[in-house]
Amino acid sequence: MRKSSLDKMIRGWFIGNFPRAVYRTTEFEVAVKSEKAGARVNKHFHKVASEITLVVKGIILFNNKRFAEGDIIVIAPGEAVDYRVVKDAVTVIVKVPSVQKDKYYTERGK
């Protein structure tokens, strides 16, 4: 058994194909994120990975569509989204597979 801490991870990502992961794998990535209202991520997409987000607490917007506690959002490869936290939020994010540098910023997207 070994112990680590979420605050030692990069932006909440603790499983996946990256150096600080507590479990290193190319099969998937997992993050837990706590974000304050106003936090945002510009429009982007993944060429390879699907991204699944569970809203544990709070209110978030993907492409100006509202999601709240209990909602699960599935984003397909190539689907461009932007993200904004409306009310302090906790999310769990899973990306399948874990591919380094598979995040592309765009204003147009698909």
Side-chain angles (χ1 to χ4, degrees), residues 25-89:
T25 180
T26 59
E27 294 179 29
F28 60 95
E29 298 176 2
V30 180
V32 174
K33 296 189 172 214
S34 295
E35 298 177 297
K36 297 288 184 192
R40 61 181 6 182
V41 176
N42 290 333
K43 189 161 275 202
H44 68 283
F45 66 96
H46 304 283
K47 289 183 180 179
V48 178
S50 293
E51 185 171 278
I52 302 100
T53 300
L54 164 64
V55 182
V56 176
K57 175 177 129 177
I59 299 171
I60 63 173
L61 300 176
F62 275 108
N63 293 346
N64 291 317
K65 293 180 184 169
R66 182 185 184 276
F67 299 94
E69 184 176 323
D71 287 338
I72 300 171
I73 306 100
V74 179
I75 301 165
E79 184 177 0
V81 295
D82 56 18
Y83 169 87
R84 184 166 54 98
V85 179
V86 175
K87 181 179 176 185
D88 291 1

Side-chain angles (χ1 to χ4, degrees), residues 14-29:
F14 66 100
I15 297 174
N17 188 23
F18 32 87
R20 288 194 195 169
V22 296
Y23 183 82
R24 193 144 185 198
T25 180
T26 59
E27 294 179 29
F28 60 95
E29 298 176 2

